[in-house]
Amino acid sequence: MSHTEATVVGGGITGLAAAWELARGGARVTLLESSPRLGGKIMTEEFRGRAVDMGPDAFLARVPEALQLCHELGLGEELVGVATEAASLWVRGRVWRTWRTDPVRHVLQSRGRLRPVPAGAVLGAPTSLAALARSRVVPARGVARAALDLVLPGKDLGPDPTVGDIVTARFGREVHQRLVDPLVGGIHAGPSARLSARAVAPQLATGAASHRSLLLGLRRASAPSPASSPSGAGLAPAFVSLRRGLGHLVARLEEALRAHGVHIQLGRAADLPSAGTRNAVIVTTPAPAAAALVAGASPEAAAELAAIEHSSVVLVVLSYPVAAFAGHAPPPGSGFLVPQVERRLMTACSFGSSKWPHWANEDEVVLRVSAGRWGDERAMALDDAELVARLHHELEQALGLRREPLAGRVTRWAGAFPQYRPGHLARVARIEAALARDAPSVQLAGAALRGVGIPACIAQGRAAARRALGLTS
């Protein structure tokens, strides 16, 4: 039995996972959270009779940490997979000068069309030229440029290229702007031309480094092995959630932590002296708060943390009557992404009523619409009514909506998405080295460091706890 005394600062999923690992290891744990609730960006609210997530609504199933935690907490029966993973991109047509001879076609072109993400794409990067051409996401010249990947010689892009550097060098600008950037940039709420491939898209970085052709490298790496290919039943869903929303994971964690004797203090700001620097301290707050917290103990670590940039996002949940849709209701597929070059306010739209089978309702459809990214603060500047009106107008163009929404709810996440610039992993190593030298009892974990997804945050929190327990170095 461990006699470790530990303080966890931050009650998001990283901090909760760290506290859970510590408590199971026998440590005496205090968890401090400055806000009046736990969960961080995980927040589930009742909306039109459904438990709707106002932050992330799913996690990757192939990364085991979140699934494992759910099973440990007895939530296996609550898990539900997405009903469909087919996604689209909202892009304008590529037929020019049609307005003079065909004004109707010109209007349709300006509104754009939903085009499917090419089959087999890895973070938007194609693994089949035929699938890329069939999708019609990029014009014929873009497909032709992508085909040059098969014959172009390799190019040294430096030790830490951006996603944009890699994709543009191999497939050209059209594929990067209209396919890869909406997916990678959408995950991180920032332009992939400024994001480290090693930090945010290691599949692309590895494929580019190990194969002359990125397309062939990604195809080989993503091909399922015979052992992983199921017989009979279909493939397991890539994304899963909980029937009562991801907030139920937070609620169950809180219940389990209190049962294990963890002392949870809400509305309590922390500082290192009060936390006790001789005992283990795990800081899981966003980077700006972490920088302020460790500034007295390690100015170097604090400066590096403060240099991490962040972007803001707004999530708007809208409910529509089925009669609002000119075609399918709910729309088929999981939703669509909007390339930044389209200059829309909206960055993505999730078809909640198609995506989650337990949301089925014959009378109305629920959509989750995102806006805001690094360098684009328009959504944050609009008030709620104007934001809903602007996004509804764009949904009219994308989906042919014929009625106003029945209800809407706006949730703003200011400074919520860390931007992993080139050199990010080296910066994290410097932060960790500085803390190990200046404040060896203090550890950092969380989305600002080694991954923004729920499984990555859980993994970081639990790893930090194991180090505090002396189980790993």
Short mmCIF file of all heavy atoms in Angstrom, two decimals, residues 232-265:
data_model
loop_
_atom_site.label_atom_id
_atom_site.label_comp_id
_atom_site.label_asym_id
_atom_site.label_seq_id
_atom_site.Cartn_x
_atom_site.Cartn_y
_atom_site.Cartn_z
N GLY A 232 -17.53 -12.11 -40.42
CA GLY A 232 -18.97 -12.04 -40.17
C GLY A 232 -19.40 -10.65 -39.81
O GLY A 232 -19.87 -9.88 -40.64
N ALA A 233 -19.27 -10.27 -38.57
CA ALA A 233 -19.76 -8.97 -38.11
C ALA A 233 -18.97 -7.84 -38.74
O ALA A 233 -17.83 -8.00 -39.14
CB ALA A 233 -19.66 -8.89 -36.58
N GLY A 234 -19.59 -6.65 -38.79
CA GLY A 234 -18.91 -5.50 -39.36
C GLY A 234 -17.85 -4.97 -38.42
O GLY A 234 -17.72 -5.39 -37.26
N LEU A 235 -17.08 -4.03 -38.92
CA LEU A 235 -16.04 -3.41 -38.11
C LEU A 235 -16.66 -2.66 -36.94
O LEU A 235 -17.74 -2.09 -37.04
CB LEU A 235 -15.22 -2.47 -38.98
CG LEU A 235 -14.33 -3.10 -40.06
CD1 LEU A 235 -13.81 -2.01 -40.98
CD2 LEU A 235 -13.18 -3.86 -39.43
N ALA A 236 -15.96 -2.66 -35.83
CA ALA A 236 -16.41 -1.89 -34.67
C ALA A 236 -16.34 -0.41 -35.00
O ALA A 236 -15.50 0.02 -35.78
CB ALA A 236 -15.53 -2.21 -33.46
N PRO A 237 -17.23 0.40 -34.41
CA PRO A 237 -17.20 1.84 -34.71
C PRO A 237 -15.91 2.48 -34.23
O PRO A 237 -15.33 2.07 -33.21
CB PRO A 237 -18.42 2.37 -33.93
CG PRO A 237 -18.68 1.36 -32.87
CD PRO A 237 -18.29 0.04 -33.45
N ALA A 238 -15.46 3.48 -34.97
CA ALA A 238 -14.22 4.17 -34.60
C ALA A 238 -14.45 5.10 -33.42
O ALA A 238 -13.52 5.35 -32.64
CB ALA A 238 -13.69 4.96 -35.80
N PHE A 239 -15.67 5.63 -33.28
CA PHE A 239 -15.96 6.57 -32.20
C PHE A 239 -17.10 6.03 -31.34
O PHE A 239 -18.08 5.49 -31.85
CB PHE A 239 -16.35 7.94 -32.77
CG PHE A 239 -15.23 8.64 -33.48
CD1 PHE A 239 -15.07 8.50 -34.84
CD2 PHE A 239 -14.33 9.41 -32.77
CE1 PHE A 239 -14.03 9.14 -35.50
CE2 PHE A 239 -13.28 10.05 -33.41
CZ PHE A 239 -13.13 9.91 -34.78
N VAL A 240 -16.97 6.21 -30.04
CA VAL A 240 -18.01 5.77 -29.11
C VAL A 240 -18.28 6.87 -28.10
O VAL A 240 -17.49 7.81 -27.93
CB VAL A 240 -17.60 4.47 -28.38
CG1 VAL A 240 -17.46 3.32 -29.34
CG2 VAL A 240 -16.31 4.66 -27.59
N SER A 241 -19.40 6.74 -27.41
CA SER A 241 -19.77 7.68 -26.36
C SER A 241 -20.56 6.92 -25.32
O SER A 241 -20.57 5.68 -25.29
CB SER A 241 -20.56 8.85 -26.94
OG SER A 241 -20.77 9.86 -25.97
N LEU A 242 -21.25 7.64 -24.45
CA LEU A 242 -22.12 7.06 -23.45
C LEU A 242 -23.55 7.51 -23.70
O LEU A 242 -23.80 8.64 -24.13
CB LEU A 242 -21.70 7.49 -22.04
CG LEU A 242 -20.31 7.03 -21.60
CD1 LEU A 242 -19.93 7.69 -20.27
CD2 LEU A 242 -20.25 5.52 -21.45
N ARG A 243 -24.50 6.63 -23.45
CA ARG A 243 -25.90 6.95 -23.75
C ARG A 243 -26.37 8.20 -23.02
O ARG A 243 -27.19 8.95 -23.53
CB ARG A 243 -26.80 5.77 -23.38
CG ARG A 243 -26.61 4.56 -24.28
CD ARG A 243 -27.61 3.47 -23.97
NE ARG A 243 -27.35 2.31 -24.81
CZ ARG A 243 -27.78 2.18 -26.06
NH1 ARG A 243 -28.51 3.15 -26.59
NH2 ARG A 243 -27.48 1.10 -26.77
N ARG A 244 -25.87 8.43 -21.84
CA ARG A 244 -26.25 9.62 -21.07
C ARG A 244 -25.25 10.75 -21.23
O ARG A 244 -25.26 11.70 -20.45
CB ARG A 244 -26.43 9.25 -19.59
CG ARG A 244 -27.69 8.46 -19.34
CD ARG A 244 -27.86 8.13 -17.87
NE ARG A 244 -27.15 6.92 -17.50
CZ ARG A 244 -27.14 6.39 -16.28
NH1 ARG A 244 -27.80 7.00 -15.31
NH2 ARG A 244 -26.50 5.27 -16.03
N GLY A 245 -24.42 10.68 -22.27
CA GLY A 245 -23.46 11.73 -22.54
C GLY A 245 -22.16 11.51 -21.79
O GLY A 245 -22.09 10.78 -20.79
N LEU A 246 -21.10 12.15 -22.26
CA LEU A 246 -19.80 11.99 -21.62
C LEU A 246 -19.75 12.59 -20.22
O LEU A 246 -18.89 12.24 -19.41
CB LEU A 246 -18.72 12.61 -22.50
CG LEU A 246 -18.46 11.89 -23.83
CD1 LEU A 246 -17.39 12.61 -24.63
CD2 LEU A 246 -18.07 10.44 -23.60
N GLY A 247 -20.68 13.47 -19.92
CA GLY A 247 -20.77 13.99 -18.57
C GLY A 247 -21.04 12.90 -17.54
O GLY A 247 -20.70 13.04 -16.36
N HIS A 248 -21.62 11.79 -18.00
CA HIS A 248 -21.88 10.67 -17.10
C HIS A 248 -20.57 10.02 -16.67
O HIS A 248 -20.46 9.50 -15.54
CB HIS A 248 -22.80 9.65 -17.77
CG HIS A 248 -23.30 8.59 -16.86
ND1 HIS A 248 -23.87 8.85 -15.63
CD2 HIS A 248 -23.30 7.23 -16.98
CE1 HIS A 248 -24.21 7.72 -15.05
NE2 HIS A 248 -23.87 6.72 -15.83
N LEU A 249 -19.56 10.03 -17.54
CA LEU A 249 -18.23 9.54 -17.16
C LEU A 249 -17.66 10.40 -16.03
O LEU A 249 -17.09 9.87 -15.07
CB LEU A 249 -17.30 9.56 -18.38
CG LEU A 249 -15.82 9.28 -18.12
CD1 LEU A 249 -15.62 7.89 -17.51
CD2 LEU A 249 -15.02 9.40 -19.43
N VAL A 250 -17.81 11.71 -16.14
CA VAL A 250 -17.33 12.62 -15.10
C VAL A 250 -18.07 12.36 -13.79
O VAL A 250 -17.46 12.28 -12.71
CB VAL A 250 -17.48 14.08 -15.54
CG1 VAL A 250 -17.15 15.04 -14.41
CG2 VAL A 250 -16.62 14.36 -16.76
N ALA A 251 -19.39 12.22 -13.88
CA ALA A 251 -20.18 11.98 -12.66
C ALA A 251 -19.79 10.67 -12.00
O ALA A 251 -19.68 10.59 -10.76
CB ALA A 251 -21.67 11.98 -13.01
N ARG A 252 -19.57 9.63 -12.79
CA ARG A 252 -19.19 8.34 -12.22
C ARG A 252 -17.79 8.40 -11.60
O ARG A 252 -17.53 7.81 -10.55
CB ARG A 252 -19.27 7.26 -13.28
CG ARG A 252 -18.97 5.85 -12.77
CD ARG A 252 -19.98 5.38 -11.72
NE ARG A 252 -21.31 5.26 -12.28
CZ ARG A 252 -21.77 4.16 -12.88
NH1 ARG A 252 -21.01 3.09 -13.00
NH2 ARG A 252 -23.00 4.12 -13.34
N LEU A 253 -16.89 9.13 -12.26
CA LEU A 253 -15.55 9.30 -11.71
C LEU A 253 -15.61 10.03 -10.36
O LEU A 253 -14.93 9.64 -9.40
CB LEU A 253 -14.68 10.08 -12.69
CG LEU A 253 -13.78 9.28 -13.62
CD1 LEU A 253 -13.14 10.19 -14.66
CD2 LEU A 253 -12.70 8.53 -12.84
N GLU A 254 -16.39 11.10 -10.29
CA GLU A 254 -16.50 11.83 -9.03
C GLU A 254 -17.02 10.92 -7.93
O GLU A 254 -16.48 10.90 -6.80
CB GLU A 254 -17.42 13.04 -9.19
CG GLU A 254 -17.58 13.82 -7.90
CD GLU A 254 -18.47 15.04 -8.03
OE1 GLU A 254 -19.08 15.22 -9.11
OE2 GLU A 254 -18.57 15.80 -7.05
N GLU A 255 -18.03 10.15 -8.24
CA GLU A 255 -18.60 9.23 -7.26
C GLU A 255 -17.56 8.21 -6.79
O GLU A 255 -17.41 7.94 -5.59
CB GLU A 255 -19.80 8.52 -7.90
CG GLU A 255 -20.48 7.48 -7.05
CD GLU A 255 -21.58 6.79 -7.83
OE1 GLU A 255 -22.49 7.49 -8.33
OE2 GLU A 255 -21.54 5.56 -7.96
N ALA A 256 -16.80 7.65 -7.74
CA ALA A 256 -15.79 6.65 -7.40
C ALA A 256 -14.64 7.26 -6.61
O ALA A 256 -14.12 6.64 -5.67
CB ALA A 256 -15.27 5.99 -8.67
N LEU A 257 -14.23 8.47 -6.97
CA LEU A 257 -13.15 9.13 -6.25
C LEU A 257 -13.53 9.41 -4.80
O LEU A 257 -12.74 9.18 -3.88
CB LEU A 257 -12.75 10.43 -6.96
CG LEU A 257 -12.05 10.27 -8.31
CD1 LEU A 257 -11.86 11.63 -8.98
CD2 LEU A 257 -10.72 9.56 -8.16
N ARG A 258 -14.73 9.91 -4.60
CA ARG A 258 -15.17 10.17 -3.22
C ARG A 258 -15.25 8.87 -2.43
O ARG A 258 -14.92 8.85 -1.23
CB ARG A 258 -16.51 10.91 -3.24
CG ARG A 258 -16.43 12.32 -3.82
CD ARG A 258 -17.74 13.07 -3.62
NE ARG A 258 -17.74 14.37 -4.29
CZ ARG A 258 -17.21 15.49 -3.79
NH1 ARG A 258 -16.61 15.46 -2.60
NH2 ARG A 258 -17.28 16.62 -4.46
N ALA A 259 -15.68 7.79 -3.08
CA ALA A 259 -15.75 6.50 -2.39
C ALA A 259 -14.37 6.00 -2.00
O ALA A 259 -14.22 5.26 -1.02
CB ALA A 259 -16.45 5.48 -3.28
N HIS A 260 -13.34 6.41 -2.75
CA HIS A 260 -11.96 6.03 -2.44
C HIS A 260 -11.28 7.02 -1.49
O HIS A 260 -10.08 6.94 -1.25
CB HIS A 260 -11.13 5.94 -3.73
CG HIS A 260 -11.27 4.61 -4.43
ND1 HIS A 260 -12.42 4.24 -5.09
CD2 HIS A 260 -10.40 3.57 -4.57
CE1 HIS A 260 -12.25 3.03 -5.62
NE2 HIS A 260 -11.04 2.61 -5.30
N GLY A 261 -12.05 7.96 -0.97
CA GLY A 261 -11.50 8.89 0.02
C GLY A 261 -10.81 10.11 -0.56
O GLY A 261 -10.14 10.84 0.19
N VAL A 262 -10.94 10.36 -1.85
CA VAL A 262 -10.33 11.54 -2.44
C VAL A 262 -11.07 12.79 -1.95
O VAL A 262 -12.30 12.85 -1.99
CB VAL A 262 -10.36 11.47 -3.99
CG1 VAL A 262 -9.83 12.77 -4.60
CG2 VAL A 262 -9.52 10.28 -4.47
N HIS A 263 -10.30 13.77 -1.50
CA HIS A 263 -10.87 15.03 -1.01
C HIS A 263 -10.97 16.00 -2.18
O HIS A 263 -9.96 16.49 -2.68
CB HIS A 263 -9.99 15.59 0.10
CG HIS A 263 -10.53 16.84 0.73
ND1 HIS A 263 -11.86 17.01 1.03
CD2 HIS A 263 -9.91 17.99 1.11
CE1 HIS A 263 -12.05 18.19 1.58
NE2 HIS A 263 -10.88 18.82 1.63
N ILE A 264 -12.19 16.27 -2.65
CA ILE A 264 -12.42 17.13 -3.81
C ILE A 264 -12.87 18.50 -3.33
O ILE A 264 -13.86 18.61 -2.60
CB ILE A 264 -13.48 16.52 -4.75
CG1 ILE A 264 -12.99 15.16 -5.28
CG2 ILE A 264 -13.77 17.47 -5.92
CD1 ILE A 264 -14.02 14.42 -6.11
N GLN A 265 -12.14 19.52 -3.75
CA GLN A 265 -12.48 20.90 -3.39
C GLN A 265 -12.79 21.67 -4.67
O GLN A 265 -11.90 21.91 -5.48
CB GLN A 265 -11.33 21.56 -2.63
CG GLN A 265 -10.99 20.88 -1.32
CD GLN A 265 -9.90 21.62 -0.56
OE1 GLN A 265 -9.88 22.85 -0.53
NE2 GLN A 265 -9.00 20.87 0.05
#
